[in-house]
Amino acid sequence: MEQHERNKHGGSGGTVTSGGGSGGGGMQQLKLNQTVALKGEPQARLTAHIVGFLIQDGRPAALTLGRGFRQLMHAMNPRFVMPGLKKIKMFTDAMYDQARDVILAYIHPLKQKGPAALRGMVGCVSLDLWTDITQVEYMGVILHTTKETHAGYEQKEILLACTEVDATHITSQVVKDYLLSVLKDFGLPVKSIFRSIHDGDAKVIKGVREAPLPSSLCFIHSLQRTIAVSLKDVDEVLTLLTRTKKAVAGVRQSNVQASYLREAQVSIGAPQRALVQDNQTRWGSTHDMAERATEQRASFPQAYALDDERNQQQTYKVFDPAKRLTPGDFTLLGQVVAIYKPFRKVTTELQSAGITSSFVVPSYMQLLDDVDSTLKIEVKMPAAGTLYPATSVTTQVSELPRPVVQIARQARTDLIKRFNLQRMIAFAVATCLDPRFKNLKAFKVPDDVCKRVWHVIHVQTDRTITVLKEAGQYHEEERGDKRGADGQPKRDGSWVSALNAKAMQCNDMPVGTLPTAVGPALQTALDFGGVELMNGAALAVEIGTYMRKPVAELGIDKPDALQLWWGLKKECPALAIVAMHYLSIPASSSSVERLFSQTGLIKSKLRNRLLPETLQKLVFTRGNWDDSLLQVRPKKKAVGVEESKGGEADEEDEEEDEDGEELWVDLEREVAGELDREIRPEDDLGLDRLMGLHFEEPDDDFWKEFEDQEEPWLDAEN
């Protein structure tokens, strides 16, 4: 149009005439840059992206009413009409409904009848309780699934609920009722859950057992209790940690002291890193605080020396001699850090995504060695008056000061008591069925535990073979023994890589690997108490094929346990199914802790009046977010729904209705979606034929040890 005006009408390119000639005072002119509002799909697409931004980043919908945000969107696309709050809510509800439908479709195999061996999917749950800023209790439940697909085993973490608990007092009955209601809401029978992971809270333990669900304690949470128990009655260390916490808080809260510390760090060449504050709700924060303070040990005396020619009154207030850490304090602090270093490594690595229960027993056995008083540890501690960096001194634990030896002994005693291997058989089975570990003997596990573990594997695999044969899915002529290539461990310094390297040095057939029913060449002298194996020969071939392969290497660029089992599935089909079950058990409930952190970002101080159902929808959609939700469009609003103020969105609704756009449809879910949630009594999953409880579960006496315990967290005021 600009080119046409220049060529035909001699114009400058800014306007176009509408009267048939050039010039003329009565001529109406149309500006070329006039804004025409978006309609239909382009408008809906941008609205969906805004709602997706609000959900994924945990931002309030009122953010879109701000002048700055609207100016930004206008600059990005002047034709876009900002939606009102009503329309944002409609898009949010539509995305929640779609996310829920996707989850229901994905977990549908867990609701099918028949043995677990034929369903191709395993489900475990982790759960915990959380109190928000308004002192409202929430229960978080996450479903951990392993699903067999055409490309391999697929693992997912699915957020089922972060539900407000409507009870004045949380009891085991409340925990049980809410857990069962969450499972029922997604149509999951209790029998479809292979195992649950939770912390050592007495009401949670009892509620899960009454559900009833087979369960195990969160390994990482239990380690934090071990650390707390190890500090019991060690007054020197408790006092030191309290003083360190106050000193760190003083630096972080005082600009004067913080500036002095920065100057000291520069003068001695120490890393210019901020001190770490202890946080009771964050795992490992006490260790991080002590480690960072020890690293900056040389900066503290230097910072104290910077008070001579400055505001002496203010300096004396900040550097109260009674609150200063002495060189002796730093020496003791460095030794305590060295004792707890292995615990921190385990906490860091085992709460990462993709870590399963197969790491629990090796980590536990290694921790027992690391806190043994007969072993030597590396203590990083500079001598008094030296500059950065610190030097390392290797010393035997028993030669350290009495308080340090005491916490090491108490930690080891509590580890043995809290993590009784006889009660960790499920975790030990997962270790044996992880191709990167296999042999429990590599980690000095006693023979009687190894025997029980392989007893479970034999029985589970034997029953799986029977189920597959009955379904016509097991052909023994295809079974074979193909040896894999050996490899060298990748030594990258991580905790799990060190465990893998230890396992790779023990490739011999372990005690209790093969059943007594097989031939003399593969026979071991074990007695399983008269257990009859229906498929002894086929069982021996599968287990023998698996165990003869060398331990696989663990690394970032290496296949994980389930990827390795996908390659073994053809040779060991029944054992692969058993492995899929036990490798689905998470090592900790850290995913629920992360869920609570995300929920806290949504229900912040500025959004503390969110309705429970609104918060549930936001958390669920965010936790199960997929970019395909950006393609979701709300449907036509139901007749009789009250209109609400929405700014420019009301005008947009009128334009869309005039154009015949049907953006709003009935909001009710389809009947099929509702039926998926129903649990019918006749839906017997037949799990007793396969994945029943064939090993001893923790009994009442075992759990009673945890019921009377309280969280012995350090209190800064004590």
Side-chain angles (χ1 to χ4, degrees), residues 167-184:
T168 56
H169 182 64
I170 307 299
T171 64
S172 60
Q173 184 64 38
V174 172
V175 173
K176 171 188 173 182
D177 293 343
Y178 271 80
L179 175 58
L180 292 179
S181 67
V182 169
L183 296 178
K184 182 177 180 180

Side-chain angles (χ1 to χ4, degrees), residues 286-304:
T286 302
H287 171 275
D288 295 344
M289 175 195 70
E291 184 179 47
R292 183 61 56 85
T294 304
E295 176 195 82
Q296 298 295 334
R297 171 254 182 276
S299 303
F300 280 89
Q302 294 289 332
Y304 296 151

